[in-house]
Amino acid sequence: MSIKPARTRVAPSPTGHMHLGTARTALYCYLLAKKTGGQFLLRIEDTDLSRTVPGAEQEIMDGLRWLGLQYDEGPDVGGAYGPYRQTDRREIYQAHAKILVNSGHAYPCFCAPDRLEKVRQEQMKRKENPRYDGTCRNLDPEEAARRVASGENHIVRFKMPQEGSTTAHDHLRGDIVTENKQLNDYVLLKTDGLPTYHLAAMVDDHEMGITHVIRGSEWLGTFPLHVNVVRAFGWDEPIWIHLSVFLKPSGKGKMSKRDTATAMKDGYSIFVKDMGELGFTPEGVLNWCALMGWGVAEDDVMTLDQMVERFSIDSLTPSPAAVNFQKLDHFNATHIRLFTTADLAARLKPYFTREGFNVDDDVLLKIIPLIRERLVTLDDCISFGGFFFKDEVTPAAEDLVAKGLDAKQSAEVARRAYQILAAQPDVSHEKCEPPLRAYVEESGLSANQVFGILRVAVTGQKVSPPLFESMEIIGREKCLQRMQNAIGVLERM
Ligand code: GLU
């Protein structure tokens, strides 16, 4: 059976930082488009000028690229269905509003905002859902047209059917039936001549040939309106998919500003722009996002290509997903282990550089096998591997003192270890381990005590990758120098 190529779009509003939810929507849109040989679009929905934040559009484009979700059409790449920024499409919406007015599906409304506010207040007092009271709905169309032509301030409202009910079909949730009398005459065109989402998105999805509208479940409330608008134009409906909401890590309630702040404090974020800085990889983030709303059985570690292969809109789930940052750690660490050595080296280099280390590429390649298994985030490379790029290390004096020994005894161990190392032509495992082990035996100390002093002396830290492999990379000369330095520190204690 051949599948029809899907055209999908992610349509964020540039009103703030790009959120994980947008990343997840974009991912599903991308997967469906690639799976079916179709196209994935970026459309910028910027018709609410008061909420537009400078730089947000660029952040969205950068975020999608960082994730590896390159769109086939969009504001900065063009395409046959552009423009892809809604403020560049005003005339299109105005023309479409006119079509609905002329066909009797919409009408101009001249009501003053302060009167509407009063009506709203009264409705709220009566505990009714605030809705337009219909004053302009029944104006004589010719009279209304004259007032519009004379330049009177107005908006355009959708004339929602008042009888019967609307059945809207969501691919994940089935038929959703709403009594039309519960629906409002929503605004389609505002006084500034710009459309609301309800008009703009419907027009664009049609004009851009979108086959599947994948969006957040916050749009379920106005979903009946949207299908009515599409039907009023006489267009075919796309397949509608409303994704699940994200819940806070505890699973109780939606993520709040406070939860976001807590996440940041713990080294996590819900904004795509922070992810790289925090040491997360696009692969880890995508894998994590993918599974918040997509039920994948068995092996759930997937690259983007594997996701394309396995994706199906039928396995998306409408149940809410708790944002679990431990899972992000898990996927990130897992993907780090899958990268080739050269790839991981290239990804780690900026983190070392950011900390001011002068990175020798040969050394970097050599340390990858030693630190890879220890990394959860890429920036963990600093704590596990920073000492490889230092000229000198400055271990804390108390760390050099082995458990159960005092400074003097530890200095003696360090001196003996130094002599043993200095007597060898290199600091390889084969050469150094046997004589050091022999020393452990004869001294009656434990391996932990001896190797612990050695480790702190040459790496400057108590936790490090395997000692001998590390020493080999550091090199004989530097190791001996660091040992000497440590002996000095211990002797001065
Ligand atoms: N601009 C809308 C938003 O940011 C897009 C919703 C949609 O995908 O249709 O929520």
Side-chain angles (χ1 to χ4, degrees):
M1 193 184 79
S2 75
I3 322 166
K4 209 170 144 253
R7 279 177 66 80
T8 59
R9 88 300 188 274
V10 63
S13 299
T15 53
H17 294 308
M18 181 183 174
H19 189 275
L20 281 177
T22 308
R24 182 186 61 169
T25 305
L27 173 62
Y28 294 160
C29 288
Y30 175 93
L31 295 177
L32 179 60
K34 297 300 147 188
K35 172 106 200 175
T36 58
Q39 294 85 35
F40 163 56
L41 284 63
L42 169 64
R43 182 171 76 223
I44 297 292
E45 301 205 328
D46 59 346
T47 61
D48 189 347
L49 299 181
S50 66
R51 294 185 59 221
T52 296
V53 171
E57 177 177 320
Q58 190 59 46
E59 190 181 312
I60 292 163
M61 301 193 291
D62 293 345
L64 291 172
R65 290 208 171 90
W66 182 80
L67 288 164
L69 303 177
Q70 182 55 54
Y71 35 94
D72 304 298
E73 299 169 29
D76 58 340
V77 298
Y81 297 78
Y84 294 92
R85 187 182 294 113
Q86 288 187 327
T87 47
D88 296 335
R89 300 171 62 81
R90 294 170 199 251
E91 290 76 23
I92 299 174
Y93 308 122
Q94 284 163 1
H96 279 86
K98 220 170 257 163
I99 293 172
L100 289 185
V101 171
N102 290 342
S103 65
H105 289 100
Y107 58 92
C109 170
F110 307 93
C111 292
D114 48 351
R115 189 189 76 76
L116 293 177
E117 182 51 29
K118 242 185 248 152
V119 171
R120 206 179 71 90
Q121 296 287 347
E122 279 159 21
Q123 288 170 336
M124 303 255 283
K125 238 187 263 158
R126 292 199 299 271
K127 301 222 164 5
E128 293 169 11
N129 281 339
R131 56 193 295 122
Y132 180 57
D133 65 357
T135 307
C136 293
R137 183 180 168 111
N138 304 317
L139 285 181
D140 169 38
E142 276 178 28
E143 154 82 9
R146 259 198 307 279
R147 288 172 68 177
V148 169
S150 75
E152 191 173 336
N153 242 354
H154 68 281
I155 57 173
V156 175
R157 287 183 186 275
F158 188 65
K159 198 172 202 170
M160 187 64 80
Q162 286 177 326
E163 312 277 295
S165 60
T166 297
T167 302
H169 185 80
D170 173 275
H171 188 75
L172 309 181
R173 300 157 201 266
D175 281 348
I176 300 169
V177 184
T178 315
E179 293 301 315
N180 287 339
K181 58 177 183 295
Q182 296 190 358
L183 299 170
N184 201 354
D185 282 0
Y186 287 91
V187 178
L188 299 179
L189 212 57
K190 301 175 285 179
T191 37
D192 59 4
L194 279 169
T196 58
Y197 172 82
H198 312 310
L199 178 65
M202 299 314 115
V203 168
D204 288 347
D205 287 337
H206 173 73
E207 295 270 300
M208 296 178 179
I210 300 303
T211 56
H212 296 70
V213 169
I214 304 179
R215 60 182 186 178
S217 60
E218 66 270 25
W219 297 106
L220 278 171
T222 42
F223 184 25
L225 161 71
H226 299 149
V227 302
N228 272 298
V229 171
V230 172
R231 290 170 193 170
F233 280 114
W235 297 332
D236 285 339
E237 281 178 58
I239 291 172
W240 303 94
I241 296 173
H242 293 89
L243 299 175
S244 57
V245 288
F246 286 156
L247 300 179
K248 57 176 81 192
S250 64
K252 291 186 192 119
K254 284 209 238 172
M255 282 289 284
S256 68
K257 277 224 172 89
R258 253 238 317 273
D259 300 316
T260 310
T262 311
M264 281 304 276
K265 267 212 311 270
D266 295 344
Y268 301 106
S269 174
I270 55 157
F271 299 125
V272 175
K273 73 168 177 72
D274 295 330
M275 290 296 177
E277 232 163 277
L278 294 170
F280 293 104
T281 61
E283 288 81 355
V285 173
L286 283 180
N287 204 154
W288 178 56
C289 282
L291 299 181
M292 287 193 272
W294 172 15
V296 174
E298 295 148 33
D299 185 17
D300 56 3
V301 174
M302 296 177 282
T303 61
L304 190 54
D305 287 342
Q306 289 166 333
M307 287 189 220
V308 170
E309 217 166 277
R310 292 170 65 178
F311 187 71
S312 154
I313 51 171
D314 297 337
S315 42
L316 294 179
T317 140
S319 10
V323 173
N324 180 335
F325 291 111
Q326 279 67 49
K327 282 197 183 160
L328 172 59
D329 282 342
H330 162 74
F331 284 115
N332 204 59
T334 309
H335 279 280
I336 286 176
R337 282 147 191 70
L338 299 174
F339 299 151
T340 63
T341 300
D343 182 14
L344 184 54
R347 294 183 195 233
L348 294 182
K349 193 170 175 177
Y351 293 90
F352 284 117
T353 315
R354 183 174 83 175
E355 291 295 314
F357 290 110
N358 219 336
V359 177
D360 176 322
D361 289 329
D362 290 335
V363 172
L364 179 57
L365 283 174
K366 282 192 205 146
I367 70 171
I368 298 292
L370 302 191
I371 64 172
R372 181 201 299 276
E373 296 296 321
R374 295 160 190 259
L375 305 177
V376 172
T377 50
L378 293 174
D379 58 346
D380 286 344
C381 67
I382 305 300
S383 49
F384 290 117
F387 63 87
F388 286 110
F389 302 109
K390 285 184 181 161
D391 289 330
E392 287 171 16
V393 293
T394 41
E398 60 275 17
D399 289 349
L400 284 165
V401 179
K403 213 168 166 200
L405 303 183
D406 60 19
K408 212 164 146 230
Q409 293 164 318
S410 300
E412 175 57 20
V413 174
R415 277 193 297 269
R416 284 300 311 274
Y418 176 87
Q419 285 163 2
I420 292 168
L421 294 183
Q424 305 303 325
D426 59 56
V427 284
S428 68
H429 217 283
E430 301 78 44
K431 294 268 164 31
C432 298
E433 196 174 353
L436 281 169
R437 292 254 173 227
Y439 167 55
V440 169
E441 287 295 315
E442 98 194 20
S443 65
L445 297 166
S446 74
N448 273 350
Q449 288 171 314
V450 174
F451 293 130
I453 294 173
L454 209 54
R455 178 189 306 281
V456 176
V458 298
T459 69
Q461 52 199 56
K462 287 164 96 168
V463 181
S464 81
L467 180 60
F468 288 102
E469 278 92 334
S470 299
M471 292 204 316
E472 268 189 76
I473 295 172
I474 294 167
R476 181 172 185 273
E477 205 182 319
K478 263 195 192 172
C479 283
L480 291 177
Q481 218 171 43
R482 291 181 184 186
M483 287 297 293
Q484 241 167 4
N485 173 44
I487 294 165
V489 172
L490 283 165
E491 286 174 346
R492 283 192 296 276
M493 274 180 88

